Amino acid sequence: MPRLFVVPSHCAVAEPQGRDLLDVAVSWPSPQVTVLTVRGEVDGATANVLRLRLLEIFASRARLVVVDLSGVGFFGIAGLAVMLEAARRARGRLPLAWVTGPGCVDRLLEVSGHGDEVVTAVTVAAAVRRDIPAAIAEPAQGVG
């Protein structure tokens, strides 16, 4: 039986009226930490932008990756698939944390049953505090 995913109405974003639907920016607050900040809508039309940025980061031999989804207004199943793929690629090789923030991300993780498969934090700082010891202790490995 197919699962029905209900996204709360407060997570829906109105049509952008000429603006891009998704903005993905990379920053390096320290040599050990790469932060991917995602803003806008992550759906079937935009998920590949997120996927490509994650692949670039994995190829760069990052030590710790934090994906900040706190600026996401809509997070669809395509976005979840990209993020779960990233979590699987990173597992055992690279600390990867999600900053979830908006209810639409947390809700989709909950109803899909994947909440226990990923590391989440409420802020980028919280993710870094928890995961940076592992990133410093272990040499970076390629994730692919």
Side-chain angles (χ1 to χ4, degrees):
M1 175 178 227
R3 287 185 173 173
L4 174 64
F5 296 99
V6 179
V7 178
S9 61
H10 67 276
C11 287
V13 174
E15 284 298 318
Q17 299 175 355
R19 294 179 302 213
D20 292 333
L21 293 175
L22 185 67
D23 179 47
V24 182
V26 180
S27 61
W28 300 269
S30 77
Q32 295 86 17
V33 180
T34 302
V35 176
L36 186 66
T37 303
V38 183
R39 303 220 182 285
E41 299 181 13
V42 186
D43 58 18
T46 61
N48 199 46
V49 173
L50 178 58
R51 176 182 284 112
L52 292 174
R53 282 300 189 130
L54 284 163
L55 290 173
E56 289 172 5
I57 289 170
F58 290 162
S60 74
R61 303 233 187 254
R63 304 281 304 266
L64 165 66
V65 177
V66 178
V67 181
D68 183 359
L69 299 167
S70 64
V72 170
F74 178 83
F75 191 70
I77 215 66
L80 180 63
V82 167
M83 290 300 299
L84 290 174
E85 174 189 340
R88 286 183 197 108
R89 285 178 180 267
R91 193 168 291 127
R93 299 179 190 153
L94 170 74
L96 172 68
W98 305 18
V99 176
T100 55
C104 54
V105 175
D106 292 324
R107 178 76 178 133
L108 188 53
L109 277 171
E110 178 187 331
V111 299
S112 68
H114 292 290
D116 293 337
E117 295 178 33
V118 299
V119 176
T120 61
V122 294
T123 65
V124 171
V128 169
R129 276 194 307 272
R130 182 186 57 238
D131 289 329
I132 202 155
I136 292 171
E138 299 175 14
Q141 300 177 19
V143 178

Coordinates of all heavy atoms in Angstrom, one line a residue, residues 71-120:
G71 N 16.3 27.0 6.3 CA 15.7 28.0 5.4 C 14.8 27.4 4.4 O 14.4 28.1 3.4
V72 N 14.5 26.1 4.5 CA 13.7 25.4 3.5 C 12.2 25.7 3.8 O 11.8 25.4 5.0 CB 14.0 23.9 3.5 CG1 13.0 23.2 2.6 CG2 15.4 23.7 2.9
G73 N 11.5 26.1 2.8 CA 10.0 26.3 3.0 C 9.2 25.1 2.6 O 8.1 24.9 3.0
F74 N 9.7 24.3 1.6 CA 9.1 23.1 1.2 C 10.1 22.0 1.0 O 11.2 22.3 0.4 CB 8.3 23.3 -0.1 CG 7.7 22.1 -0.6 CD1 6.4 21.7 -0.1 CD2 8.3 21.3 -1.5 CE1 5.8 20.5 -0.6 CE2 7.7 20.1 -2.0 CZ 6.5 19.7 -1.5
F75 N 9.9 20.9 1.5 CA 10.8 19.8 1.4 C 10.1 18.5 1.0 O 9.3 17.9 1.8 CB 11.5 19.5 2.8 CG 12.7 18.6 2.8 CD1 13.9 19.0 2.2 CD2 12.6 17.4 3.4 CE1 15.0 18.1 2.1 CE2 13.7 16.5 3.3 CZ 14.9 16.9 2.7
G76 N 10.2 18.2 -0.3 CA 9.4 17.1 -0.8 C 10.2 15.8 -0.8 O 11.4 15.7 -0.4
I77 N 9.6 14.8 -1.3 CA 10.1 13.4 -1.3 C 11.4 13.4 -2.2 O 12.4 12.6 -1.8 CB 9.1 12.4 -1.8 CG1 9.2 11.0 -1.1 CG2 9.2 12.1 -3.3 CD1 8.9 11.0 0.3
A78 N 11.5 14.2 -3.2 CA 12.8 14.2 -4.0 C 13.9 14.7 -3.2 O 15.1 14.3 -3.3 CB 12.6 15.0 -5.3
G79 N 13.7 15.7 -2.3 CA 14.7 16.3 -1.5 C 15.1 15.2 -0.4 O 16.3 15.1 -0.1
L80 N 14.1 14.5 0.1 CA 14.4 13.5 1.1 C 15.3 12.4 0.4 O 16.3 11.9 1.0 CB 13.2 12.9 1.6 CG 13.3 11.7 2.6 CD1 14.1 12.2 3.9 CD2 12.0 11.1 3.0
A81 N 15.0 12.0 -0.8 CA 15.8 11.0 -1.5 C 17.2 11.4 -1.7 O 18.2 10.7 -1.4 CB 15.1 10.7 -2.8
V82 N 17.4 12.7 -2.0 CA 18.8 13.2 -2.2 C 19.5 13.2 -0.9 O 20.7 12.8 -0.8 CB 18.8 14.7 -2.8 CG1 20.1 15.3 -2.7 CG2 18.3 14.6 -4.2
M83 N 18.9 13.7 0.2 CA 19.6 13.7 1.5 C 19.8 12.3 2.0 O 20.9 12.1 2.6 CB 18.7 14.5 2.4 CG 18.7 16.0 2.1 SD 20.4 16.8 2.1 CE 20.8 16.5 3.8
L84 N 18.9 11.4 1.8 CA 19.2 10.0 2.3 C 20.3 9.4 1.5 O 21.1 8.6 2.0 CB 17.9 9.2 2.2 CG 16.8 9.5 3.2 CD1 15.6 8.7 2.9 CD2 17.3 9.3 4.6
E85 N 20.4 9.7 0.2 CA 21.5 9.2 -0.6 C 22.8 9.7 -0.1 O 23.8 9.0 0.0 CB 21.3 9.6 -2.1 CG 22.5 9.3 -3.0 CD 22.3 9.9 -4.4 OE1 21.2 10.3 -4.8 OE2 23.3 10.1 -5.1
A86 N 22.8 11.0 0.3 CA 24.0 11.6 0.8 C 24.4 11.0 2.2 O 25.6 10.7 2.4 CB 23.8 13.1 1.0
A87 N 23.4 10.7 3.0 CA 23.7 10.1 4.3 C 24.3 8.7 4.1 O 25.2 8.3 4.8 CB 22.4 10.0 5.1
R88 N 23.8 7.9 3.1 CA 24.3 6.6 2.8 C 25.8 6.7 2.3 O 26.6 5.9 2.7 CB 23.4 5.9 1.8 CG 22.1 5.4 2.4 CD 21.3 4.6 1.5 NE 19.9 4.6 2.0 CZ 18.9 5.2 1.5 NH1 19.0 6.0 0.4 NH2 17.7 5.1 2.0
R89 N 26.0 7.7 1.4 CA 27.4 7.8 0.9 C 28.4 8.2 2.0 O 29.5 7.8 2.0 CB 27.4 8.9 -0.2 CG 26.8 8.5 -1.5 CD 26.9 9.8 -2.4 NE 26.4 9.4 -3.7 CZ 27.1 9.0 -4.7 NH1 28.4 8.9 -4.6 NH2 26.5 8.8 -5.9
A90 N 27.9 9.0 2.9 CA 28.8 9.5 4.0 C 29.0 8.5 5.1 O 30.0 8.6 5.8 CB 28.2 10.8 4.6
R91 N 28.1 7.6 5.3 CA 28.1 6.7 6.5 C 29.4 6.0 6.6 O 29.9 5.4 5.6 CB 27.0 5.7 6.3 CG 26.7 4.9 7.6 CD 25.5 4.1 7.6 NE 24.3 5.0 7.6 CZ 23.3 5.0 6.8 NH1 23.3 4.2 5.8 NH2 22.3 5.9 6.9
G92 N 30.1 6.1 7.7 CA 31.3 5.4 8.0 C 32.5 6.1 7.4 O 33.7 5.7 7.6
R93 N 32.3 7.2 6.6 CA 33.5 7.9 6.0 C 33.6 9.3 6.4 O 34.7 9.9 6.3 CB 33.3 7.8 4.5 CG 33.3 6.4 3.9 CD 33.1 6.5 2.4 NE 32.8 5.2 1.9 CZ 32.1 4.9 0.8 NH1 31.7 5.9 0.1 NH2 31.9 3.7 0.4
L94 N 32.5 9.9 6.7 CA 32.4 11.4 6.8 C 31.3 11.8 7.7 O 30.1 11.4 7.4 CB 32.2 12.0 5.4 CG 32.0 13.5 5.3 CD1 33.2 14.3 5.6 CD2 31.5 13.8 3.9
P95 N 31.5 12.5 8.8 CA 30.4 13.0 9.6 C 29.5 13.9 8.7 O 30.0 14.9 8.1 CB 31.0 13.8 10.7 CG 32.4 13.3 10.8 CD 32.8 12.9 9.4
L96 N 28.2 13.6 8.7 CA 27.2 14.4 8.0 C 26.0 14.7 8.9 O 25.4 13.7 9.4 CB 26.7 13.7 6.7 CG 25.6 14.3 6.0 CD1 26.0 15.6 5.3 CD2 25.0 13.4 4.9
A97 N 25.7 16.0 9.1 CA 24.6 16.3 10.0 C 23.6 17.2 9.2 O 24.0 18.0 8.4 CB 25.1 17.0 11.2
W98 N 22.3 17.0 9.5 CA 21.3 17.9 9.0 C 20.8 18.8 10.0 O 20.5 18.4 11.1 CB 20.1 17.0 8.6 CG 20.2 15.9 7.6 CD1 21.4 15.2 7.3 CD2 19.2 15.3 6.9 NE1 21.1 14.2 6.5 CE2 19.8 14.2 6.2 CE3 17.8 15.5 6.8 CZ2 19.0 13.3 5.4 CZ3 17.1 14.6 6.0 CH2 17.7 13.6 5.3
V99 N 20.7 20.1 9.7 CA 20.0 21.1 10.6 C 18.6 21.2 10.0 O 18.4 21.7 8.9 CB 20.7 22.4 10.6 CG1 19.9 23.4 11.4 CG2 22.1 22.3 11.1
T100 N 17.6 20.6 10.7 CA 16.3 20.5 10.1 C 15.5 21.7 10.3 O 15.0 22.2 9.3 CB 15.6 19.3 10.7 OG1 15.6 19.4 12.1 CG2 16.3 18.0 10.3
G101 N 15.3 22.3 11.4 CA 14.6 23.5 11.6 C 13.1 23.5 11.3 O 12.3 23.3 12.2
P102 N 12.7 23.7 10.0 CA 11.3 23.8 9.7 C 10.6 22.5 9.9 O 11.1 21.4 9.7 CB 11.3 24.2 8.2 CG 12.5 23.8 7.7 CD 13.6 23.8 8.8
G103 N 9.3 22.6 10.3 CA 8.5 21.4 10.5 C 8.4 20.5 9.3 O 8.2 19.3 9.5
C104 N 8.4 21.1 8.1 CA 8.2 20.2 6.9 C 9.4 19.2 6.8 O 9.1 18.1 6.3 CB 8.1 21.1 5.7 SG 9.4 22.3 5.4
V105 N 10.6 19.5 7.1 CA 11.7 18.6 7.1 C 11.5 17.5 8.1 O 11.6 16.3 7.9 CB 13.0 19.3 7.2 CG1 14.2 18.3 7.2 CG2 13.2 20.3 6.0
D106 N 11.3 17.9 9.4 CA 11.1 17.0 10.5 C 9.9 16.1 10.2 O 10.0 14.9 10.5 CB 10.9 17.8 11.8 CG 12.2 18.5 12.2 OD1 13.3 17.9 12.0 OD2 12.1 19.6 12.8
R107 N 8.9 16.6 9.8 CA 7.6 15.8 9.5 C 7.9 14.8 8.5 O 7.5 13.6 8.6 CB 6.5 16.8 9.1 CG 5.2 16.0 8.9 CD 4.5 15.6 10.1 NE 3.3 14.9 9.8 CZ 2.9 13.8 10.3 NH1 3.6 13.2 11.2 NH2 1.7 13.3 9.9
L108 N 8.5 15.1 7.4 CA 8.8 14.2 6.3 C 9.7 13.1 6.8 O 9.5 11.9 6.5 CB 9.4 14.8 5.1 CG 9.5 14.0 3.8 CD1 8.2 13.3 3.5 CD2 9.9 14.8 2.7
L109 N 10.7 13.4 7.6 CA 11.6 12.4 8.2 C 10.8 11.4 9.1 O 10.9 10.2 9.0 CB 12.7 13.0 9.0 CG 13.9 13.5 8.3 CD1 14.8 14.3 9.2 CD2 14.7 12.3 7.7
E110 N 9.9 12.0 9.9 CA 9.0 11.2 10.8 C 8.1 10.3 10.0 O 8.1 9.1 10.3 CB 8.2 12.1 11.7 CG 7.3 11.4 12.6 CD 6.4 12.4 13.4 OE1 6.8 13.5 13.6 OE2 5.3 12.0 13.7
V111 N 7.3 10.8 9.1 CA 6.3 10.0 8.4 C 6.9 9.0 7.5 O 6.3 7.9 7.2 CB 5.2 10.8 7.7 CG1 4.5 11.6 8.7 CG2 5.7 11.6 6.6
S112 N 8.1 9.3 7.0 CA 8.8 8.3 6.1 C 9.5 7.2 6.8 O 9.9 6.2 6.2 CB 9.8 9.1 5.2 OG 10.9 9.5 6.0
G113 N 9.6 7.4 8.1 CA 10.3 6.3 8.9 C 11.8 6.4 8.8 O 12.5 5.5 9.3
H114 N 12.4 7.5 8.3 CA 13.8 7.6 8.1 C 14.5 8.5 9.2 O 15.7 8.7 9.1 CB 14.2 8.2 6.7 CG 13.8 7.3 5.6 ND1 14.5 6.1 5.4 CD2 12.9 7.3 4.7 CE1 14.0 5.5 4.3 NE2 13.0 6.2 3.9
G115 N 13.8 8.9 10.2 CA 14.3 9.8 11.2 C 15.5 9.2 11.9 O 16.4 10.0 12.3
D116 N 15.5 7.9 12.1 CA 16.6 7.3 12.9 C 17.8 7.0 12.0 O 18.9 6.7 12.6 CB 16.1 6.0 13.5 CG 15.1 6.1 14.5 OD1 15.0 7.2 15.1 OD2 14.3 5.2 14.8
E117 N 17.7 7.3 10.7 CA 18.9 7.0 9.8 C 19.8 8.2 9.7 O 20.9 8.0 9.1 CB 18.4 6.6 8.5 CG 17.6 5.3 8.4 CD 17.0 5.0 7.0 OE1 17.7 5.4 6.0 OE2 15.9 4.5 6.9
V118 N 19.4 9.3 10.2 CA 20.3 10.5 9.9 C 20.6 11.2 11.3 O 19.8 11.1 12.2 CB 19.6 11.5 9.0 CG1 19.4 10.8 7.6 CG2 18.2 12.0 9.5
V119 N 21.6 12.0 11.2 CA 22.0 12.8 12.4 C 21.4 14.2 12.2 O 21.7 14.8 11.1 CB 23.6 12.9 12.5 CG1 24.0 13.8 13.6 CG2 24.1 11.5 12.7
T120 N 20.6 14.6 13.1 CA 20.0 16.0 13.0 C 20.5 16.8 14.2 O 20.9 16.3 15.2 CB 18.5 15.9 13.0 OG1 18.0 15.3 14.2 CG2 18.0 15.1 11.8

